[in-house]
Amino acid sequence: EAGVAQSPRYKIIEKRQSVAFWCNPISGHATLYWYQQILGQGPKLLIQFQNNGVVDDSQLPKDRFSAERLKGVDSTLKIQPAKLEDSAVYLCASSPRIRENEKLFFGSGTQLSVL
Amino acid sequence: DQQVKQNSPSLSVQEGRISILNCDYTNSMFDYFLWYKKYPAEGPTFLISISSIKDKNEDGRFTVFLNKSAKHLSLHIVPSQPGDSAVYFCAAKLNGNKLVFGAGTILRVKS
């Protein structure tokens, strides 16, 4: 079974530039998550999708971050414009459904450096 | 507001000995707890979990203990192996499968 795929693996941009990350979840997984992990901290949930609908985006900085999951499969996370404090690893995760206590499967992440 | 805390940034253990990783939480609404393991350049992978109605769950060399009154859980690895060297994240679940993670503990198992 293929895992969660993310690209690019690394990205370096200057502040105020735009950047986009892509995620392909495990086939058949209805729920998709984007997490932000800043160095020295644990992952923090940015947004959660159930199929192509948003379940929770309460911690997404909506003035600069946006995410979509067209057709309920792949997802993209965009930052526009980027700030220095956005430097982090962006992790995508998926789970079969939103059933209680469902474990998450994580991708390898995209490491973003904002200079 | 750190609701899940892992106060030890790192831990070093000799191969064959027990590794004990600790985690404290503040939100009494958490009803499920998980441990994830992360190797460099990889995403976190699920290790073991425990429901708030239990005080112990065991899976091979890994045991998680939960003390609800103290709002404390721990992960025991016995015996520790060099391949266990990784970052271990404690996570607690709120409604809707939302996970709140601790900052992680780096475990080094020396051979």
Side-chain angles (χ1 to χ4, degrees):
Chain A
E1 179 182 71
V4 176
Q6 290 189 247
S7 68
R9 188 71 184 87
Y10 303 93
K11 191 72 177 179
I12 300 174
I13 61 172
E14 295 187 351
K15 59 183 179 184
R16 291 188 290 274
Q17 286 188 322
S18 301
V19 65
F21 314 126
W22 174 83
C23 172
N24 181 230
I26 292 173
S27 178
H29 279 197
T31 310
L32 185 147
Y33 311 77
W34 282 101
Y35 280 83
Q36 178 194 58
Q37 185 182 5
I38 294 172
L39 186 65
Q41 300 180 20
K44 183 185 82 171
L45 179 68
L46 292 176
I47 189 167
Q48 177 182 342
F49 292 94
Q50 175 75 4
N51 296 312
N52 61 349
V54 175
V55 174
D56 184 349
D57 63 355
S58 57
Q59 297 190 93
L60 186 74
K62 298 180 186 64
D63 58 334
R64 298 184 300 107
F65 286 65
S66 64
E68 60 182 7
R69 191 182 183 198
L70 299 176
K71 301 179 182 178
V73 181
D74 294 6
S75 178
T76 55
L77 176 69
K78 297 179 181 178
I79 308 175
Q80 180 179 8
K83 293 185 174 181
L84 297 177
E85 58 262 34
D86 298 333
S87 295
V89 176
Y90 290 84
L91 294 162
C92 179
S94 69
S95 64
R97 61 193 69 82
I98 204 169
R99 189 181 66 187
E100 288 299 297
N101 305 337
E102 195 76 57
K103 71 180 182 184
L104 274 58
F105 296 82
F106 283 87
S108 299
T110 295
Q111 186 169 331
L112 173 68
S113 297
V114 182
L115 307 178
Chain B
D1 176 26
Q2 280 190 294
Q3 299 186 70
V4 178
K5 294 183 181 180
Q6 294 178 256
N7 292 317
S8 297
S10 65
L11 175 68
S12 186
V13 172
Q14 197 67 34
E15 180 180 7
R17 297 290 190 100
I18 184 172
S19 295
I20 301 177
L21 296 97
N22 294 303
C23 178
D24 297 296
Y25 62 95
T26 57
N27 191 337
S28 57
M29 296 300 291
F30 290 138
D31 59 2
Y32 198 71
F33 302 89
L34 307 91
W35 285 93
Y36 277 80
K37 180 169 74 172
K38 184 182 182 306
Y39 292 118
E42 295 183 11
T45 56
F46 171 77
L47 186 60
I48 192 170
S49 62
I50 187 167
S51 167
S52 60
I53 62 173
K54 296 186 176 181
D55 56 16
K56 176 182 176 181
N57 188 27
E58 194 171 354
D59 183 3
R61 296 185 297 112
F62 303 91
T63 303
V64 56
F65 296 92
L66 175 62
N67 183 334
K68 283 187 67 177
S69 61
K71 293 191 176 68
H72 176 84
L73 66 156
S74 61
L75 174 68
H76 292 210
I77 306 174
V78 183
S80 301
Q81 300 173 355
D84 295 330
S85 297
V87 180
Y88 288 79
F89 290 101
C90 170
K93 189 186 76 66
L94 290 169
N95 56 296
N97 232 25
K98 179 177 179 177
L99 293 182
V100 179
F101 284 84
T105 297
I106 300 171
L107 174 65
R108 296 187 185 90
V109 180
K110 298 176 290 185
S111 55

